[in-house]
Amino acid sequence: MKKSETLLIKKKYAENIDEYIQKGGFLSLKKVLGDRIPPEKVIEEVKKSGLRGRGGAGFPTGLKWSFIPKDGEKKFLICNADEGEPGTFKDREILLYAPYLLIEGMIISSYAIQAEVSYIYLRKEYKWIYDRIYKAIKESEEIGFLGKNILGSSFNHRIKIFVGAGAYICGEETALLESMEGKKGFPRLKPPYPANCGLFGYPTVINNVETLSNIPIIIEIGGDNYSKIGVPKSTGTRLISLSGIVKKKGVYEIEQGKITVREIIEDLGEGIKENYHLLGVIPGGISAPPLLPDEIDITYDFESIIEKGSMSGSGAIIVFGYKEDKKRELLKLLKSAVKFFKEESCGKCTPCREGTWAINDILEKIEKRETQIGEGIEIIDVLHKRMKGLCACPLGESCAIITESFLKKYSDVLK
Ligand code: SF4
């Protein structure tokens, strides 16, 4: 552990179920079911903790759960393990090293919303982790943490794994639902929201891997104590996927609001690689606009990054720069981001389907110096206006926003 790390989730890494139990694993589940804590009390505790979703949108978790109707025979919980945002690899680490923590979190969360079945929606590219998770589920079943009348209570629960087919858009929760129902992974128009009409029409909560892994910790230390970690609007820790031109890439766990982006790069990433010059930082996966080097002395939390015009998104920090005098190579990074959006646009909405291709063409022309940066920005601005509020999900708009932002902030570098 590095000095600037604060460990909650990483402390629970375990090779097998015995090691997890030795580390206090499943005590939170025992507390909830053994003490017969009512489901609404569990939701209340999560609300008190201030936990916000770690998948990208940062929506308050307890509030999301409270939208699930109390009545009705069937509800579902889905763990979104479709971690496809380029630069993001922290959920993979949890799936590999802390599957028991995730399973415990899923059981408690399912109890809170009274779901008897939950699913892990695993991205196709993580199929190689399937056996690890499957083994952890089986071990949990054998000990009696999953199955009928868990720990002598009246609560029954099963966890199943669903493997996706390799589309980035299925990380969007309604596209994920379509995919699980055997349909093409197109995002749904909302409302209705999944809390009312989710998987096969039943009320469904969809939470990210890291979000669910925080639940046993909240129950263990209490919502109030959890809310004191971090800062008021960004509580707890976050797993950061650090990549790019830093010396030490990896997944680090930081206390939100207590470490700056620059400190993450310097202390955790051990600084910029030899012979490289820093040009900027993408603070939350490639859908997040970049920050200039003089904008990174801000603490890493939801609000501080939004105030700088970007977002912490999936917690992926991509540090970018150049070697020698090849500053213009920045275009390669931007082009690869736009190519990603263009290829992953599901095609449902015309402004996104056509707009992402048009943005890609503009970059090609800027690269060949056939289009001026200012002209490119103007065209993208028009395309952006055609996408805003007219698409079923934010993908196309994200493509326009980050391209405009890069072109404006780095016009000198890219001309
Ligand atoms: S905005 Fe793009 S990715 Fe999203 S639903 Fe429409 S076409 Fe598909």
Side-chain angles (χ1 to χ4, degrees), residues 38-319:
E40 53 276 18
K41 278 252 175 222
V42 177
I43 297 179
E44 211 40 56
E45 212 56 38
V46 175
K47 276 187 179 170
K48 270 194 230 163
S49 75
L51 178 69
R52 293 171 67 176
R54 305 295 199 240
F59 194 81
T61 307
L63 185 63
K64 194 178 205 180
W65 292 2
S66 66
F67 295 148
I68 293 286
K70 303 270 174 296
D71 46 4
E73 21 120 32
K74 222 185 238 183
K75 289 132 192 190
F76 292 112
L77 176 102
I78 299 170
C79 166
N80 188 346
D82 194 54
E83 184 180 48
E85 181 76 13
T88 314
F89 42 88
K90 46 98 186 171
D91 289 342
R92 179 181 72 191
E93 186 153 314
I94 295 176
L95 294 165
L96 278 173
Y97 303 119
Y100 307 100
L101 178 68
L102 172 64
I103 289 168
E104 187 179 4
M106 288 179 69
I107 306 169
I108 298 170
S109 308
S110 298
Y111 170 76
I113 61 159
Q114 291 290 287
E116 291 212 340
V117 179
S118 61
Y119 293 89
I120 296 174
Y121 186 99
L122 188 67
R123 75 178 291 216
K124 184 188 170 199
E125 294 80 354
Y126 285 177
K127 208 175 165 193
W128 56 278
I129 310 176
Y130 184 99
D131 289 348
R132 168 73 167 142
I133 308 165
Y134 185 76
K135 182 173 164 273
I137 293 171
K138 287 290 147 200
E139 285 174 291
S140 307
E141 281 173 2
E142 279 159 23
I143 293 194
F145 296 134
L146 279 168
K148 283 201 178 296
N149 302 112
I150 301 170
L151 300 167
S153 72
S154 58
F155 183 61
N156 309 321
H157 194 68
R158 275 185 305 154
I159 297 181
K160 300 179 181 183
I161 309 171
F162 185 99
V163 182
Y168 167 75
I169 199 59
C170 290
E172 195 280 335
E173 54 184 29
T174 58
L176 179 151
L177 293 172
E178 292 286 291
S179 145
M180 286 184 73
E181 291 178 4
K183 294 177 246 166
K184 190 168 175 176
F186 275 170
R188 295 177 182 168
L189 289 175
K190 288 169 268 190
Y193 293 94
N196 292 109
C197 183
L199 189 62
F200 299 112
Y202 293 104
T204 304
V205 159
I206 302 148
N207 283 140
N208 161 267
V209 173
E210 187 186 343
T211 312
L212 291 166
S213 301
N214 272 288
I215 302 302
I217 296 161
I218 291 169
I219 300 299
E220 182 185 325
I221 64 174
D224 280 334
N225 287 329
Y226 186 95
S227 73
K228 289 176 193 138
I229 303 167
V231 286
K233 289 188 177 169
S234 299
T235 61
T237 61
R238 274 199 87 166
L239 291 180
I240 298 297
S241 314
L242 182 62
S243 67
I245 59 163
V246 287
K247 286 187 188 139
K248 200 139 193 283
K249 301 170 193 178
V251 176
Y252 300 99
E253 189 169 6
I254 58 130
E255 185 172 354
Q256 295 201 83
K258 297 293 167 77
I259 181 169
T260 66
V261 176
R262 191 180 301 281
E263 283 163 347
I264 291 173
I265 295 168
E266 298 294 332
D267 300 350
L268 302 177
E270 297 182 0
I272 305 295
K273 281 195 217 165
E274 299 297 326
N275 305 322
Y276 276 86
H277 304 278
L278 178 67
L279 266 181
V281 174
I282 298 172
I286 62 156
S287 304
L291 301 174
L292 293 165
D294 64 4
E295 294 176 314
I296 60 174
D297 293 300
I298 48 164
T299 53
Y300 198 85
D301 54 81
F302 287 103
E303 307 302 320
S304 303
I305 296 176
I306 288 172
E307 275 168 29
K308 279 280 173 212
S310 188
M311 60 178 187
S312 58
S314 57
I317 299 185
I318 305 166
V319 186

Side-chain angles (χ1 to χ4, degrees), residues 169 187 344-349 352-353 391-396:
I169 199 59
E344 294 296 340
S345 167
C346 75
K348 178 173 178 167
C349 327
C352 166
R353 187 183 63 234
C391 292
C393 90
L395 184 143

